[in-house]
Amino acid sequence: MSRLIVGVTGASGSALALEVLRQLSDAAVETHLVVSRGAHASIRHELGETGLSLLEAAAARVHAPENLAAPIASGSFSAGGMIVVPCSMRSLAAIAHGLGDNLLTRAADVTLKEKRRLVVAPREAPLHEGHLDAMLRLARMGAVIAPPVPPFYTRPATIEAMIGEIAARLVNWAGIDPGEHMTRWGETPPPLR
């Protein structure tokens, strides 16, 4: 069975995190979830009072963000990589500079040092030079910088369809086949959904 770490930060995009977890579950991937303390308010605002419970229920294992002794804090933990979705600029900068000041940023740092796939979905606009500098730094270390940009050629008719397509791309960039969740260019365009 494959294993991936999923980090959720305080940026907007909790629905993307939930869909990523669901698609990884569909692909029989064992997920290890860590949610930053800053994410709690965003999750509650975007997914409702039970939002955190929905995320936790969709994951195989849940780790507290302050638990730096968790298995995912070590390079000896066998995982195929990590997806940080959504990724706040604060967390992105911490990862880019190797701060490891909480379990999420430590797990991302371990992912980079072990040369595993790290996919970050930064959620901010517009971007200033500091944001771009941190993204460039991460890209040079091997991370995949994947802002959640909708693939309009899939003709999503609902926000759920758009979230599903974006999540499928994040899963794909993490090295997991998202199966029918992803519409690929050149295939018959899907019906409006």
Side-chain angles (χ1 to χ4, degrees), residues 45-65:
H45 181 76
E46 295 175 0
L47 297 178
E49 290 300 319
T50 62
L52 184 58
S53 297
L54 290 171
L55 286 168
E56 291 176 345
R61 296 254 337 252
V62 178
H63 303 278

Side-chain angles (χ1 to χ4, degrees), residues 103-119:
L103 183 58
L104 191 151
T105 57
R106 171 62 186 164
D109 189 54
V110 166
T111 300
L112 286 171
K113 82 177 184 69
E114 296 295 329
K115 307 293 186 205
R116 297 173 184 153
R117 289 182 193 230
L118 175 63
V119 178

